[in-house]
Amino acid sequence: MAIKKYKPTSPGRRGMSSQDFGDITTHEPEKSLLAHKSATAGRNNHGRVTSRFRGGGHKQRYRVVDFKRLKTGVPATVQSIEYDPNRSARLALLFYKDGEKRYIIAPVDLRVGDTVVSGPDAEARVGNCLPLEHIPTGTQIHGIELQPGRGAQMVRAAGGAAQLVAKEGEYAQIRLPSGGIRVVHVRCRATIGQIGNVEHENQKVGGAGHKRHMGWRPAVRGVVMSPRDHPHGGGEAKSPVGGQAQTPWGKPAMGLKTRNNPRTDRFVTERPPKRKSK
């Protein structure tokens, strides 16, 4: 996939770039794998806003993706590479030998006509899904389970790739795209390879209208709100001046560790490196 740039016919077009969709082989999704996706505009069942600055956008239908890959030993042929409006990665439509059709996240170098298979006896090749205990150390993987049989939960975005660092006893160490290292049981499954659509992070939205098309409404700064709506609001000057930046709910907004799960802290052996301030 390449990044497509535009002539500056308008201020929005001047800084805009998009994907050329050269890796897509069909524009018609598999109807049997489509599901209804209701637009809630960031509100809950009481009509109250629970996700700020969301609403509108293009109507979408959800593609049912097979994150578990439990059809062990049944080979499947890649029928097409498709666009998915619900995620940054591409989807690969698989036709299994027994006649069933399923979507998986498409990794780099997976082509139409390729054969993939899942299970402990599968070869460690791009697109195949294996338990970690059968994957060689140092292999790039994605779609990693946190619990055996639960389905892929980690590394599912475009361009993402983790690395199997080591295996010791019942657990394996995995270096995540963030740079942190997490311990996962060796019976958990993962898919070989790096997720496709690698250039996704390089595209630029350009104009506000494009953002509205994606379902994002304008974000309002806290300093222009009233004191009852935001801790930064009100006063005769901008707040906070030299103080701690806060969220709308009064919690520190910068520098606060957001991880708060003592039950799984023992599985994180190394934290991601701190980002350098610009």
Side-chain angles (χ1 to χ4, degrees), residues 19 21 37 60-67 82-92 103-106 152-153 155-158 195-197 200 203:
Q19 306 166 25
F21 300 100
K37 181 182 176 184
Q60 300 169 341
R61 298 197 70 187
Y62 183 74
R63 277 73 167 166
V64 180
V65 181
D66 180 19
F67 288 116
E82 300 181 12
Y83 169 78
D84 187 358
N86 305 292
R87 66 189 75 251
S88 57
R90 303 288 187 235
L91 295 183
Y103 277 128
I104 64 168
I105 293 179
Q153 290 181 272
V155 194
R156 304 194 325 193
I195 299 178
N197 200 12
H200 171 78
Q203 68 181 22

Side-chain angles (χ1 to χ4, degrees), residues 10-30:
S10 68
R13 281 291 196 188
R14 184 176 297 277
M16 182 179 177
S17 62
S18 67
Q19 306 166 25
D20 66 352
F21 300 100
D23 52 346
I24 305 259
T25 61
T26 179
H27 297 283
E28 293 296 328
E30 175 59 39

Side-chain angles (χ1 to χ4, degrees), residues 2-268:
I3 295 295
K4 180 168 133 184
K5 296 184 179 180
Y6 296 89
K7 292 183 179 180
T9 56
S10 68
R13 281 291 196 188
R14 184 176 297 277
M16 182 179 177
S17 62
S18 67
Q19 306 166 25
D20 66 352
F21 300 100
D23 52 346
I24 305 259
T25 61
T26 179
H27 297 283
E28 293 296 328
E30 175 59 39
K31 290 185 178 180
S32 63
L33 297 175
L34 293 179
H36 175 70
K37 181 182 176 184
S38 59
T40 57
R43 290 171 169 81
N44 60 11
N45 58 335
H46 297 291
R48 299 193 181 106
V49 175
T50 53
S51 243
R52 302 190 306 158
F53 317 133
R54 297 305 303 262
H58 200 286
K59 187 176 181 179
Q60 300 169 341
R61 298 197 70 187
Y62 183 74
R63 277 73 167 166
V64 180
V65 181
D66 180 19
F67 288 116
K68 293 189 176 182
R69 302 286 300 272
L70 293 180
K71 290 184 73 70
T72 302
V74 182
T77 304
V78 179
Q79 183 70 17
S80 61
I81 305 295
E82 300 181 12
Y83 169 78
D84 187 358
N86 305 292
R87 66 189 75 251
S88 57
R90 303 288 187 235
L91 295 183
L93 178 61
L94 303 184
F95 279 22
Y96 281 90
K97 197 172 183 179
D98 58 3
E100 190 173 356
K101 301 175 184 179
R102 292 191 182 183
Y103 277 128
I104 64 168
I105 293 179
V108 175
D109 295 332
L110 189 69
R111 303 283 185 260
V112 174
D114 290 350
T115 301
V116 298
V117 66
S118 61
D121 298 328
E123 183 183 351
R125 197 176 62 228
V126 171
N128 289 354
C129 184
L130 297 81
L132 292 173
E133 58 186 342
H134 297 284
I135 299 177
T137 305
T139 306
Q140 279 193 332
I141 55 177
H142 67 272
I144 308 161
E145 291 183 327
L146 288 176
Q147 296 176 7
R150 189 167 184 175
Q153 290 181 272
M154 295 192 298
V155 194
R156 304 194 325 193
Q163 186 180 26
L164 182 60
V165 178
K167 289 182 282 187
E168 186 176 349
E170 293 187 347
Y171 290 93
Q173 291 186 2
I174 297 173
R175 187 181 302 279
L176 300 175
S178 63
I181 295 180
R182 185 184 173 100
V183 173
V184 181
H185 200 280
V186 291
R187 285 194 289 110
C188 291
R189 294 193 178 199
T191 306
I192 307 296
Q194 180 184 9
I195 299 178
N197 200 12
V198 181
E199 294 289 330
H200 171 78
E201 64 176 357
N202 295 328
Q203 68 181 22
K204 296 180 182 179
V205 173
H210 188 181
K211 204 71 175 174
R212 294 298 291 262
H213 191 74
M214 296 162 64
W216 286 95
R217 297 185 67 244
V220 183
R221 293 172 297 141
V223 293
V224 298
M225 296 183 185
S226 65
R228 70 183 299 276
D229 293 322
H230 202 285
H232 297 176
E236 297 299 325
K238 286 188 177 181
S239 172
V241 179
Q244 173 68 49
Q246 295 180 350
T247 68
W249 305 276
K251 294 189 178 288
M254 302 174 68
L256 177 70
K257 291 184 178 179
T258 56
R259 181 179 176 84
N260 183 24
N261 192 347
R263 182 180 62 84
T264 59
D265 278 344
R266 60 196 178 97
F267 296 116
V268 182

